[in-house]
Amino acid sequence: MGLSDGCCCGVIAGFVLALFVAVAAVFGIYCYTNPDAKDRCIVYWEKVKSGGDQLVRQIPEPEK
């Protein structure tokens, strides 16, 4: 056994995923508890959502 069996890739991917989840949780708690940050998060999310909605509207309809 060594580095050639691929187990270190799973460990690294798991660590990165756990780090991402932890950062997202801390950011979510921060936005939930701080009213100013909550307003900014809502405004930012509305911009992201409207951009996504606009992108979806640009997708052509499939032919029937």
Short mmCIF file of all heavy atoms in Angstrom, two decimals:
data_model
loop_
_atom_site.label_atom_id
_atom_site.label_comp_id
_atom_site.label_asym_id
_atom_site.label_seq_id
_atom_site.Cartn_x
_atom_site.Cartn_y
_atom_site.Cartn_z
N MET A 1 0.84 -1.19 0.00
CA MET A 1 0.00 0.00 0.00
C MET A 1 0.88 1.24 0.00
O MET A 1 1.89 1.28 0.64
CB MET A 1 -0.88 0.02 1.23
CG MET A 1 -2.01 -0.96 1.17
SD MET A 1 -3.20 -0.55 2.43
CE MET A 1 -4.06 -2.07 2.46
N GLY A 2 0.40 2.23 -0.67
CA GLY A 2 1.14 3.48 -0.74
C GLY A 2 0.27 4.55 -1.37
O GLY A 2 -0.95 4.47 -1.34
N LEU A 3 0.92 5.48 -1.97
CA LEU A 3 0.18 6.56 -2.60
C LEU A 3 -0.44 6.13 -3.92
O LEU A 3 -1.30 6.82 -4.45
CB LEU A 3 1.10 7.76 -2.83
CG LEU A 3 1.63 8.44 -1.57
CD1 LEU A 3 2.56 9.58 -1.95
CD2 LEU A 3 0.50 8.96 -0.71
N SER A 4 -0.05 5.00 -4.44
CA SER A 4 -0.54 4.59 -5.75
C SER A 4 -1.95 4.00 -5.71
O SER A 4 -2.56 3.84 -6.75
CB SER A 4 0.42 3.55 -6.36
OG SER A 4 0.44 2.40 -5.55
N ASP A 5 -2.50 3.67 -4.54
CA ASP A 5 -3.82 3.08 -4.52
C ASP A 5 -4.95 4.12 -4.49
O ASP A 5 -6.11 3.77 -4.51
CB ASP A 5 -3.98 2.11 -3.34
CG ASP A 5 -3.77 2.77 -2.00
OD1 ASP A 5 -3.59 3.99 -1.95
OD2 ASP A 5 -3.80 2.04 -0.99
N GLY A 6 -4.65 5.39 -4.47
CA GLY A 6 -5.65 6.45 -4.62
C GLY A 6 -6.33 6.87 -3.34
O GLY A 6 -7.24 7.69 -3.38
N CYS A 7 -5.95 6.34 -2.21
CA CYS A 7 -6.65 6.70 -0.98
C CYS A 7 -6.37 8.14 -0.57
O CYS A 7 -7.21 8.78 0.05
CB CYS A 7 -6.30 5.75 0.15
SG CYS A 7 -4.64 5.95 0.78
N CYS A 8 -5.22 8.67 -0.93
CA CYS A 8 -4.92 10.04 -0.51
C CYS A 8 -5.80 11.04 -1.26
O CYS A 8 -6.11 12.10 -0.72
CB CYS A 8 -3.45 10.35 -0.69
SG CYS A 8 -2.93 10.56 -2.39
N CYS A 9 -6.24 10.69 -2.46
CA CYS A 9 -7.13 11.60 -3.20
C CYS A 9 -8.47 11.74 -2.48
O CYS A 9 -9.04 12.82 -2.40
CB CYS A 9 -7.35 11.09 -4.62
SG CYS A 9 -5.88 11.15 -5.62
N GLY A 10 -8.97 10.63 -1.95
CA GLY A 10 -10.22 10.68 -1.20
C GLY A 10 -10.09 11.46 0.09
O GLY A 10 -11.00 12.18 0.50
N VAL A 11 -8.95 11.33 0.74
CA VAL A 11 -8.72 12.07 1.98
C VAL A 11 -8.65 13.56 1.69
O VAL A 11 -9.25 14.38 2.40
CB VAL A 11 -7.42 11.58 2.66
CG1 VAL A 11 -7.05 12.49 3.81
CG2 VAL A 11 -7.58 10.16 3.14
N ILE A 12 -7.97 13.93 0.64
CA ILE A 12 -7.85 15.34 0.26
C ILE A 12 -9.22 15.89 -0.14
O ILE A 12 -9.61 16.98 0.29
CB ILE A 12 -6.81 15.53 -0.86
CG1 ILE A 12 -5.42 15.22 -0.32
CG2 ILE A 12 -6.87 16.94 -1.42
CD1 ILE A 12 -4.35 15.15 -1.37
N ALA A 13 -9.96 15.14 -0.96
CA ALA A 13 -11.29 15.59 -1.39
C ALA A 13 -12.23 15.71 -0.19
O ALA A 13 -13.00 16.67 -0.09
CB ALA A 13 -11.86 14.62 -2.42
N GLY A 14 -12.16 14.78 0.74
CA GLY A 14 -12.99 14.84 1.93
C GLY A 14 -12.64 16.03 2.81
O GLY A 14 -13.52 16.69 3.36
N PHE A 15 -11.36 16.31 2.93
CA PHE A 15 -10.92 17.46 3.72
C PHE A 15 -11.40 18.75 3.09
O PHE A 15 -11.92 19.64 3.78
CB PHE A 15 -9.40 17.46 3.85
CG PHE A 15 -8.87 18.61 4.65
CD1 PHE A 15 -8.98 18.63 6.03
CD2 PHE A 15 -8.28 19.69 4.02
CE1 PHE A 15 -8.51 19.69 6.77
CE2 PHE A 15 -7.80 20.77 4.74
CZ PHE A 15 -7.90 20.77 6.13
N VAL A 16 -11.28 18.87 1.78
CA VAL A 16 -11.73 20.09 1.08
C VAL A 16 -13.24 20.24 1.22
O VAL A 16 -13.74 21.34 1.48
CB VAL A 16 -11.29 20.06 -0.40
CG1 VAL A 16 -11.96 21.16 -1.20
CG2 VAL A 16 -9.78 20.17 -0.50
N LEU A 17 -13.98 19.14 1.08
CA LEU A 17 -15.43 19.20 1.22
C LEU A 17 -15.84 19.60 2.64
O LEU A 17 -16.72 20.43 2.82
CB LEU A 17 -16.05 17.85 0.84
CG LEU A 17 -17.57 17.77 0.93
CD1 LEU A 17 -18.20 18.72 -0.07
CD2 LEU A 17 -18.02 16.35 0.68
N ALA A 18 -15.19 19.02 3.63
CA ALA A 18 -15.50 19.36 5.02
C ALA A 18 -15.16 20.82 5.31
O ALA A 18 -15.91 21.50 6.02
CB ALA A 18 -14.72 18.44 5.96
N LEU A 19 -14.07 21.31 4.76
CA LEU A 19 -13.70 22.71 4.94
C LEU A 19 -14.73 23.63 4.30
O LEU A 19 -15.14 24.64 4.89
CB LEU A 19 -12.31 22.95 4.35
CG LEU A 19 -11.68 24.30 4.60
CD1 LEU A 19 -11.48 24.54 6.09
CD2 LEU A 19 -10.35 24.39 3.89
N PHE A 20 -15.18 23.28 3.10
CA PHE A 20 -16.19 24.07 2.40
C PHE A 20 -17.50 24.10 3.19
O PHE A 20 -18.12 25.17 3.34
CB PHE A 20 -16.43 23.50 1.00
CG PHE A 20 -17.51 24.21 0.24
CD1 PHE A 20 -17.29 25.47 -0.29
CD2 PHE A 20 -18.75 23.62 0.08
CE1 PHE A 20 -18.30 26.13 -0.98
CE2 PHE A 20 -19.76 24.28 -0.60
CZ PHE A 20 -19.53 25.53 -1.13
N VAL A 21 -17.93 22.97 3.71
CA VAL A 21 -19.17 22.90 4.50
C VAL A 21 -19.03 23.73 5.77
O VAL A 21 -19.96 24.45 6.16
CB VAL A 21 -19.53 21.44 4.80
CG1 VAL A 21 -20.64 21.35 5.83
CG2 VAL A 21 -19.94 20.71 3.53
N ALA A 22 -17.88 23.66 6.42
CA ALA A 22 -17.67 24.44 7.65
C ALA A 22 -17.71 25.94 7.36
O ALA A 22 -18.34 26.70 8.11
CB ALA A 22 -16.34 24.04 8.29
N VAL A 23 -17.06 26.37 6.30
CA VAL A 23 -17.06 27.80 5.95
C VAL A 23 -18.48 28.25 5.60
O VAL A 23 -18.92 29.32 6.02
CB VAL A 23 -16.08 28.07 4.78
CG1 VAL A 23 -16.28 29.46 4.21
CG2 VAL A 23 -14.65 27.90 5.26
N ALA A 24 -19.21 27.43 4.85
CA ALA A 24 -20.58 27.78 4.49
C ALA A 24 -21.46 27.87 5.74
O ALA A 24 -22.31 28.76 5.84
CB ALA A 24 -21.15 26.76 3.51
N ALA A 25 -21.27 26.97 6.69
CA ALA A 25 -22.06 26.99 7.92
C ALA A 25 -21.75 28.24 8.74
O ALA A 25 -22.67 28.90 9.25
CB ALA A 25 -21.78 25.74 8.74
N VAL A 26 -20.49 28.58 8.88
CA VAL A 26 -20.11 29.79 9.63
C VAL A 26 -20.66 31.03 8.95
O VAL A 26 -21.21 31.93 9.60
CB VAL A 26 -18.58 29.87 9.80
CG1 VAL A 26 -18.16 31.23 10.32
CG2 VAL A 26 -18.09 28.77 10.73
N PHE A 27 -20.57 31.09 7.64
CA PHE A 27 -21.09 32.24 6.91
C PHE A 27 -22.61 32.32 7.05
O PHE A 27 -23.17 33.41 7.23
CB PHE A 27 -20.70 32.15 5.43
CG PHE A 27 -21.14 33.33 4.63
CD1 PHE A 27 -20.55 34.56 4.81
CD2 PHE A 27 -22.16 33.20 3.70
CE1 PHE A 27 -20.96 35.66 4.07
CE2 PHE A 27 -22.58 34.29 2.96
CZ PHE A 27 -21.98 35.53 3.15
N GLY A 28 -23.29 31.19 6.99
CA GLY A 28 -24.74 31.17 7.16
C GLY A 28 -25.15 31.63 8.54
O GLY A 28 -26.11 32.39 8.69
N ILE A 29 -24.45 31.18 9.56
CA ILE A 29 -24.75 31.61 10.93
C ILE A 29 -24.48 33.10 11.09
O ILE A 29 -25.25 33.82 11.72
CB ILE A 29 -23.95 30.77 11.94
CG1 ILE A 29 -24.46 29.33 11.93
CG2 ILE A 29 -24.03 31.36 13.34
CD1 ILE A 29 -23.57 28.36 12.69
N TYR A 30 -23.40 33.58 10.50
CA TYR A 30 -23.08 35.01 10.55
C TYR A 30 -24.18 35.84 9.90
O TYR A 30 -24.63 36.85 10.45
CB TYR A 30 -21.74 35.27 9.89
CG TYR A 30 -21.41 36.72 9.70
CD1 TYR A 30 -21.08 37.52 10.79
CD2 TYR A 30 -21.43 37.31 8.44
CE1 TYR A 30 -20.78 38.86 10.63
CE2 TYR A 30 -21.13 38.64 8.27
CZ TYR A 30 -20.81 39.42 9.37
OH TYR A 30 -20.53 40.74 9.19
N CYS A 31 -24.63 35.41 8.73
CA CYS A 31 -25.69 36.14 8.03
C CYS A 31 -27.01 36.06 8.79
O CYS A 31 -27.81 36.99 8.74
CB CYS A 31 -25.87 35.61 6.61
SG CYS A 31 -24.54 36.09 5.51
N TYR A 32 -27.24 34.96 9.48
CA TYR A 32 -28.49 34.79 10.22
C TYR A 32 -28.52 35.65 11.48
O TYR A 32 -29.57 36.18 11.84
CB TYR A 32 -28.68 33.31 10.58
CG TYR A 32 -29.97 33.02 11.27
CD1 TYR A 32 -31.16 33.00 10.55
CD2 TYR A 32 -30.01 32.78 12.63
CE1 TYR A 32 -32.36 32.73 11.18
CE2 TYR A 32 -31.21 32.52 13.27
CZ TYR A 32 -32.39 32.50 12.55
OH TYR A 32 -33.57 32.24 13.18
N THR A 33 -27.38 35.81 12.13
CA THR A 33 -27.36 36.52 13.40
C THR A 33 -27.10 38.02 13.27
O THR A 33 -27.46 38.78 14.16
CB THR A 33 -26.30 35.92 14.34
OG1 THR A 33 -25.02 35.99 13.72
CG2 THR A 33 -26.63 34.49 14.68
N ASN A 34 -26.46 38.46 12.20
CA ASN A 34 -26.13 39.86 12.02
C ASN A 34 -27.13 40.49 11.05
O ASN A 34 -27.13 40.16 9.87
CB ASN A 34 -24.70 39.99 11.50
CG ASN A 34 -24.22 41.41 11.45
OD1 ASN A 34 -25.00 42.35 11.47
ND2 ASN A 34 -22.91 41.57 11.39
N PRO A 35 -27.97 41.44 11.51
CA PRO A 35 -29.01 42.01 10.63
C PRO A 35 -28.44 42.72 9.40
O PRO A 35 -29.00 42.61 8.31
CB PRO A 35 -29.75 43.00 11.52
CG PRO A 35 -29.42 42.62 12.91
CD PRO A 35 -28.09 41.95 12.86
N ASP A 36 -27.35 43.46 9.55
CA ASP A 36 -26.76 44.15 8.40
C ASP A 36 -26.23 43.15 7.38
O ASP A 36 -26.43 43.31 6.17
CB ASP A 36 -25.63 45.07 8.85
CG ASP A 36 -26.13 46.24 9.68
OD1 ASP A 36 -27.32 46.60 9.53
OD2 ASP A 36 -25.34 46.78 10.48
N ALA A 37 -25.56 42.14 7.86
CA ALA A 37 -25.04 41.12 6.96
C ALA A 37 -26.18 40.34 6.31
O ALA A 37 -26.08 39.95 5.14
CB ALA A 37 -24.12 40.16 7.72
N LYS A 38 -27.26 40.15 7.05
CA LYS A 38 -28.41 39.43 6.50
C LYS A 38 -28.99 40.21 5.32
O LYS A 38 -29.31 39.62 4.28
CB LYS A 38 -29.46 39.25 7.59
CG LYS A 38 -30.61 38.37 7.20
CD LYS A 38 -31.52 38.15 8.40
CE LYS A 38 -32.57 37.11 8.14
NZ LYS A 38 -33.40 36.85 9.30
N ASP A 39 -29.12 41.52 5.46
CA ASP A 39 -29.64 42.34 4.36
C ASP A 39 -28.73 42.28 3.15
O ASP A 39 -29.19 42.16 2.02
CB ASP A 39 -29.82 43.79 4.81
CG ASP A 39 -30.94 43.94 5.84
OD1 ASP A 39 -31.81 43.05 5.91
OD2 ASP A 39 -30.91 44.95 6.57
N ARG A 40 -27.42 42.36 3.39
CA ARG A 40 -26.47 42.28 2.27
C ARG A 40 -26.51 40.92 1.60
O ARG A 40 -26.42 40.82 0.38
CB ARG A 40 -25.06 42.60 2.74
CG ARG A 40 -24.84 44.08 2.97
CD ARG A 40 -23.44 44.32 3.39
NE ARG A 40 -23.30 43.72 4.73
CZ ARG A 40 -22.34 43.95 5.57
NH1 ARG A 40 -21.36 44.75 5.22
NH2 ARG A 40 -22.30 43.39 6.75
N CYS A 41 -26.65 39.86 2.40
CA CYS A 41 -26.72 38.51 1.84
C CYS A 41 -27.97 38.35 0.99
O CYS A 41 -27.93 37.73 -0.08
CB CYS A 41 -26.72 37.45 2.96
SG CYS A 41 -25.15 37.30 3.81
N ILE A 42 -29.09 38.92 1.45
CA ILE A 42 -30.33 38.83 0.69
C ILE A 42 -30.21 39.57 -0.63
O ILE A 42 -30.62 39.07 -1.68
CB ILE A 42 -31.52 39.34 1.53
CG1 ILE A 42 -31.81 38.35 2.66
CG2 ILE A 42 -32.75 39.55 0.67
CD1 ILE A 42 -32.82 38.85 3.67
N VAL A 43 -29.62 40.77 -0.59
CA VAL A 43 -29.44 41.55 -1.82
C VAL A 43 -28.53 40.80 -2.79
O VAL A 43 -28.82 40.69 -3.99
CB VAL A 43 -28.87 42.95 -1.50
CG1 VAL A 43 -28.41 43.66 -2.76
CG2 VAL A 43 -29.91 43.78 -0.77
N TYR A 44 -27.44 40.24 -2.27
CA TYR A 44 -26.52 39.50 -3.13
C TYR A 44 -27.21 38.26 -3.70
O TYR A 44 -27.07 37.96 -4.89
CB TYR A 44 -25.27 39.10 -2.33
CG TYR A 44 -24.28 38.32 -3.14
CD1 TYR A 44 -23.52 38.94 -4.12
CD2 TYR A 44 -24.11 36.96 -2.95
CE1 TYR A 44 -22.62 38.23 -4.88
CE2 TYR A 44 -23.21 36.23 -3.70
CZ TYR A 44 -22.46 36.87 -4.66
OH TYR A 44 -21.59 36.15 -5.42
N TRP A 45 -27.96 37.54 -2.88
CA TRP A 45 -28.64 36.34 -3.36
C TRP A 45 -29.66 36.69 -4.43
O TRP A 45 -29.82 35.96 -5.41
CB TRP A 45 -29.32 35.61 -2.21
CG TRP A 45 -30.18 34.49 -2.71
CD1 TRP A 45 -31.52 34.41 -2.64
CD2 TRP A 45 -29.74 33.31 -3.39
NE1 TRP A 45 -31.95 33.25 -3.24
CE2 TRP A 45 -30.88 32.56 -3.70
CE3 TRP A 45 -28.49 32.83 -3.76
CZ2 TRP A 45 -30.80 31.34 -4.36
CZ3 TRP A 45 -28.42 31.61 -4.43
CH2 TRP A 45 -29.56 30.89 -4.72
N GLU A 46 -30.38 37.81 -4.27
CA GLU A 46 -31.35 38.22 -5.29
C GLU A 46 -30.66 38.53 -6.61
O GLU A 46 -31.20 38.23 -7.68
CB GLU A 46 -32.16 39.41 -4.80
CG GLU A 46 -33.16 39.03 -3.72
CD GLU A 46 -33.89 40.22 -3.13
OE1 GLU A 46 -33.53 41.38 -3.46
OE2 GLU A 46 -34.80 40.00 -2.32
N LYS A 47 -29.46 39.12 -6.57
CA LYS A 47 -28.70 39.37 -7.80
C LYS A 47 -28.30 38.06 -8.46
O LYS A 47 -28.43 37.89 -9.67
CB LYS A 47 -27.45 40.19 -7.50
CG LYS A 47 -27.71 41.63 -7.18
CD LYS A 47 -26.42 42.36 -6.91
CE LYS A 47 -26.64 43.79 -6.51
NZ LYS A 47 -25.39 44.48 -6.19
N VAL A 48 -27.82 37.11 -7.67
CA VAL A 48 -27.41 35.81 -8.21
C VAL A 48 -28.61 35.08 -8.78
O VAL A 48 -28.57 34.52 -9.87
CB VAL A 48 -26.72 34.96 -7.11
CG1 VAL A 48 -26.52 33.54 -7.56
CG2 VAL A 48 -25.39 35.59 -6.72
N LYS A 49 -29.72 35.11 -8.04
CA LYS A 49 -30.93 34.42 -8.49
C LYS A 49 -31.48 35.03 -9.77
O LYS A 49 -31.86 34.32 -10.70
CB LYS A 49 -32.00 34.46 -7.40
CG LYS A 49 -33.24 33.68 -7.76
CD LYS A 49 -34.27 33.79 -6.65
CE LYS A 49 -35.56 33.12 -7.02
NZ LYS A 49 -36.20 33.68 -8.19
N SER A 50 -31.53 36.35 -9.86
CA SER A 50 -32.05 36.99 -11.07
C SER A 50 -31.13 36.72 -12.26
O SER A 50 -31.61 36.55 -13.38
CB SER A 50 -32.25 38.49 -10.86
OG SER A 50 -31.01 39.14 -10.66
N GLY A 51 -29.83 36.65 -12.02
CA GLY A 51 -28.91 36.29 -13.09
C GLY A 51 -29.14 34.86 -13.57
O GLY A 51 -29.10 34.59 -14.78
N GLY A 52 -29.39 33.95 -12.64
CA GLY A 52 -29.68 32.57 -13.02
C GLY A 52 -31.00 32.46 -13.76
O GLY A 52 -31.12 31.72 -14.74
N ASP A 53 -32.01 33.20 -13.29
CA ASP A 53 -33.31 33.19 -13.98
C ASP A 53 -33.18 33.73 -15.39
O ASP A 53 -33.78 33.20 -16.33
CB ASP A 53 -34.33 34.02 -13.19
CG ASP A 53 -34.73 33.37 -11.89
OD1 ASP A 53 -34.48 32.16 -11.71
OD2 ASP A 53 -35.29 34.09 -11.02
N GLN A 54 -32.39 34.78 -15.55
CA GLN A 54 -32.18 35.36 -16.87
C GLN A 54 -31.46 34.38 -17.80
O GLN A 54 -31.80 34.25 -18.97
CB GLN A 54 -31.39 36.66 -16.75
CG GLN A 54 -31.27 37.44 -18.02
CD GLN A 54 -30.53 38.74 -17.80
OE1 GLN A 54 -29.61 38.82 -16.98
NE2 GLN A 54 -30.92 39.77 -18.52
N LEU A 55 -30.51 33.66 -17.25
CA LEU A 55 -29.78 32.66 -18.03
C LEU A 55 -30.71 31.53 -18.47
O LEU A 55 -30.65 31.08 -19.62
CB LEU A 55 -28.62 32.10 -17.21
CG LEU A 55 -27.72 31.08 -17.89
CD1 LEU A 55 -26.97 31.74 -19.03
CD2 LEU A 55 -26.76 30.48 -16.89
N VAL A 56 -31.60 31.11 -17.58
CA VAL A 56 -32.55 30.05 -17.93
C VAL A 56 -33.51 30.53 -19.02
O VAL A 56 -33.86 29.77 -19.92
CB VAL A 56 -33.31 29.58 -16.67
CG1 VAL A 56 -34.49 28.70 -17.02
CG2 VAL A 56 -32.37 28.84 -15.73
N ARG A 57 -33.92 31.78 -18.96
CA ARG A 57 -34.82 32.31 -19.98
C ARG A 57 -34.17 32.37 -21.35
O ARG A 57 -34.86 32.33 -22.37
CB ARG A 57 -35.30 33.70 -19.58
CG ARG A 57 -36.45 33.67 -18.61
CD ARG A 57 -37.04 35.06 -18.42
NE ARG A 57 -37.16 35.28 -16.98
CZ ARG A 57 -36.44 36.12 -16.26
NH1 ARG A 57 -35.55 36.87 -16.82
NH2 ARG A 57 -36.63 36.22 -14.97
N GLN A 58 -32.84 32.46 -21.40
CA GLN A 58 -32.13 32.53 -22.67
C GLN A 58 -31.98 31.18 -23.35
O GLN A 58 -31.66 31.11 -24.53
CB GLN A 58 -30.76 33.16 -22.48
CG GLN A 58 -30.79 34.61 -22.11
CD GLN A 58 -29.39 35.17 -21.84
OE1 GLN A 58 -28.42 34.42 -21.85
NE2 GLN A 58 -29.31 36.46 -21.61
N ILE A 59 -32.22 30.10 -22.62
CA ILE A 59 -32.09 28.76 -23.20
C ILE A 59 -33.23 28.57 -24.20
O ILE A 59 -34.39 28.78 -23.86
CB ILE A 59 -32.14 27.69 -22.11
CG1 ILE A 59 -30.96 27.86 -21.16
CG2 ILE A 59 -32.15 26.29 -22.71
CD1 ILE A 59 -31.01 26.95 -19.96
N PRO A 60 -32.90 28.17 -25.42
CA PRO A 60 -33.95 27.99 -26.41
C PRO A 60 -34.88 26.81 -26.05
O PRO A 60 -34.45 25.84 -25.45
CB PRO A 60 -33.20 27.72 -27.70
CG PRO A 60 -31.85 27.27 -27.29
CD PRO A 60 -31.58 27.87 -25.94
N GLU A 61 -36.13 26.96 -26.44
CA GLU A 61 -37.12 25.90 -26.21
C GLU A 61 -36.83 24.73 -27.14
O GLU A 61 -36.46 24.94 -28.30
CB GLU A 61 -38.53 26.42 -26.47
CG GLU A 61 -39.00 27.45 -25.47
CD GLU A 61 -39.26 26.84 -24.11
OE1 GLU A 61 -39.71 25.70 -24.06
OE2 GLU A 61 -38.99 27.54 -23.11
N PRO A 62 -37.00 23.51 -26.68
CA PRO A 62 -36.78 22.35 -27.56
C PRO A 62 -37.88 22.28 -28.62
O PRO A 62 -39.03 22.63 -28.37
CB PRO A 62 -36.83 21.15 -26.61
CG PRO A 62 -37.58 21.62 -25.43
CD PRO A 62 -37.34 23.10 -25.33
N GLU A 63 -37.49 21.82 -29.78
CA GLU A 63 -38.46 21.68 -30.86
C GLU A 63 -39.34 20.46 -30.60
O GLU A 63 -38.88 19.45 -30.09
CB GLU A 63 -37.74 21.53 -32.20
CG GLU A 63 -36.96 22.75 -32.59
CD GLU A 63 -36.28 22.58 -33.92
OE1 GLU A 63 -36.68 21.67 -34.67
OE2 GLU A 63 -35.37 23.34 -34.21
N LYS A 64 -40.61 20.58 -30.98
CA LYS A 64 -41.54 19.47 -30.75
C LYS A 64 -41.77 18.70 -32.00
O LYS A 64 -41.68 19.10 -33.07
CB LYS A 64 -42.85 20.00 -30.21
CG LYS A 64 -42.70 20.56 -28.82
CD LYS A 64 -44.04 20.99 -28.28
CE LYS A 64 -43.87 21.54 -26.87
NZ LYS A 64 -45.12 21.96 -26.30
#
